[in-house]
Amino acid sequence: MSKRTGELKIRISPEDKERIKLKMEGAGVLNMSAYIRKIALDGICIRLDFETEKGEDIVKKTENNTVPTFSP
């Protein structure tokens, strides 16, 4: 395991910080640094536009299939 000697600073609003805390709790993670590192390196972010026919088609196709998920 490599040592983590680098540092990354970000600015977020109090509302964003609260949202991150809620997602951490939902995922059962207690350490914010570990959670953000894991999401940044391995997490995915999918945004579907449900207002288009294509977005509706994606939802229909995935309803009956097993789709890998993770807890936010």
Side-chain angles (χ1 to χ4, degrees):
M1 180 187 230
S2 64
K3 291 191 177 198
R4 295 183 181 101
T5 57
E7 185 175 357
L8 176 66
K9 293 184 181 184
I10 61 170
R11 294 184 185 272
I12 59 173
S13 68
E15 294 83 11
D16 287 344
K17 188 172 182 179
E18 185 59 32
R19 287 181 61 203
I20 291 169
K21 285 182 180 181
L22 291 173
K23 288 185 175 203
M24 282 176 46
E25 290 173 7
V29 178
L30 303 176
N31 183 304
M32 185 178 286
S33 180
Y35 176 77
I36 291 173
R37 182 174 44 253
K38 184 68 174 167
I39 292 299
L41 295 174
D42 301 328
I44 59 171
C45 181
I46 299 173
R47 181 178 176 194
L48 296 177
D49 183 358
F50 293 105
E51 299 300 320
T52 66
E53 287 182 33
K54 187 173 183 178
E56 292 174 6
D57 289 344
I58 292 171
V59 172
K60 288 177 187 174
K61 287 179 184 177
T62 59
E63 282 179 344
N64 295 325
N65 295 327
T66 303
V67 178
T69 59
F70 67 97
S71 298

